[in-house]
Every structure is written in structure tokens, then in C-alpha cells.
Amino acid sequence: MAFELPPLPYPADALEPVYSANTISFHYGKHHKAYVDNLNKLVAGTELESKSLEELIMLSAADATKVGIFNNSAQIWNHTFFWNCMKPGGGGKPTGALAKAIDAAFGGYDKFVEQFKASAVGRFGSGWGWLVLDDGELKVVSTSNADTPMTKGQKALLTVDVWEHAYYLDYQNRRPDFVQAFLDKLVNWGFVAANL
Ligand SMILES: [Fe+2]
């Protein structure tokens, strides 16, 4: 069965003006869709056709001959996760058990923000900024290109896409402004808490 582009969890203009419908139309409608189309072409007619997305990510991560499958399958997973990490009117401080866990791990929300921004903004070239659960511990990490925490045994809780295609139409080269806006106005902390 072919992979499908999952529906967005909100209308394309729902994150305006922080994240424009124009950006979504390219980022979701073109980039995310292209990863789905590419993966379907790569696995069509092979024994990989019946694998789940997660299975494809894990088996191709360990096989240098399957770079194309890794890049496209991991990018599909990362993008679907990223869309769910945002909501209209999101952002600001989390509450409840998640807030307590962040306080305990980082010494407060502000310290977490400092680390998350430094990691995501400092990622050279294309990649992703993450909050992950690593062996029971909350950590801020970043990954390069399509790479994704599950290949390192980490559980993803939150991500921000820092490929230029994620922010250039709205923020041009100002990646720090995009990551700040993401934290202040977009993060769906309910989704992050559910992952935890
Ligand atoms: Fe992206």
C-alpha cells in the first residue's frame, strides 16, 4: 500500500500571521508531498513496499545503500511530527507535569528556551531542533538534514524544522526569529505532553 501525505491537523491558514498559508502551501504541499511521492517510487515493486514508515527509517538508517529511502522516509516522519507540534494560538510556557519535567531537567523554562534556541539556530545547514526523551532523561538535541531521534534510540517530544524551506518565505534568513516565534506562538504543548 502506498504512503499518503497525512492531512494537516489544522487549516493551511490557521497559523497566520506567525506561519503563513503561503509557507504551508510550499512546505506541506510541495516539500512534504515530494518526500511521500519519492518514497513511493523508491519502494514500489520491492520487498520494502510492505514495511511501515518506522521500519523503513530504522532499516535504511543502518544501510548505506539505502540513503534515498532513509532521507525520504525520515523526512516524511519528521514533517508529520512537526505539523503536530504546532497549533493556532500555541506557544508560551507549558503547564502541569511537562512543566515540572522541563524545570527539573533544564533548571526552568527560560533555560530550556535558551538551550533549544541555541541548538536549533546553531545547527549548521539544514536540520531539526528537538526536545527528546533519552533513557528517561529530557534532552535538547539537533539533527542534520533528514536525521531523526529514533535512530539513536531517543523518543521525540517536540521538533522545529530549521531547513530554510521551513521559514524563508516568512522570515528570510532570520532563523532565530522563526525559532523564537515558534516557541512563543506556535508550540502545541498538549501534543508534547502526550508524547511524554
Ligand atoms: Fe521541512
Side-chain angles (χ1 to χ4, degrees):
M1 210 175 81
F3 292 102
E4 285 177 8
L5 181 66
L8 280 176
Y10 33 72
D13 62 354
L15 306 178
E16 294 264 12
V18 191
Y19 205 68
S20 69
N22 190 31
T23 289
I24 297 255
S25 76
F26 283 94
H27 195 184
Y28 170 75
K30 305 283 186 199
H31 291 277
H32 193 175
K33 182 177 186 302
Y35 298 127
V36 174
D37 293 344
N38 289 338
L39 184 64
N40 282 327
K41 278 183 209 145
L42 285 166
V43 299
T46 77
E47 77 281 2
L48 298 176
E49 217 172 20
S50 59
K51 302 284 186 194
S52 71
L53 192 62
E54 287 78 7
E55 285 171 333
L56 285 179
I57 291 169
M58 294 307 287
L59 73 85
S60 62
D63 184 346
T65 68
K66 294 188 170 58
V67 174
I69 288 175
F70 178 76
N71 286 338
N72 287 286
S73 58
Q75 282 294 78
I76 293 169
W77 195 95
N78 290 347
H79 280 89
T80 302
F81 191 81
F82 173 61
W83 303 126
N84 281 288
C85 283
M86 300 189 286
K87 69 170 190 178
K93 287 186 184 181
T95 55
L98 176 61
K100 285 201 181 80
I102 285 176
D103 287 349
F106 302 103
Y109 176 74
D110 293 346
K111 296 274 187 214
F112 156 74
V113 164
E114 219 171 89
Q115 270 195 45
F116 188 85
K117 276 167 55 183
S119 180
V121 173
R123 164 53 54 188
F124 186 77
S126 296
W128 299 81
W130 304 86
L131 174 66
V132 300
L133 195 60
D134 185 3
D135 208 9
E137 205 181 324
L138 284 186
K139 284 183 187 167
V140 162
V141 297
S142 75
T143 59
S144 176
N145 297 320
D147 206 4
T148 192
M150 79 174 73
T151 64
K152 297 152 186 63
Q154 298 166 334
K155 181 174 171 50
L157 304 178
L158 169 69
T159 197
V160 63
D161 186 342
V162 291
W163 285 57
E164 281 187 348
H165 70 217
Y167 59 85
Y168 218 82
L169 294 174
D170 291 327
Y171 297 87
Q172 290 77 51
N173 61 328
R174 303 188 313 278
R175 187 190 287 185
D177 291 357
F178 166 57
V179 175
Q180 187 71 57
F182 173 83
L183 289 165
D184 290 344
K185 295 173 181 169
L186 295 176
V187 174
N188 181 352
W189 286 117
F191 176 70
V192 180
N195 294 326
L196 185 67

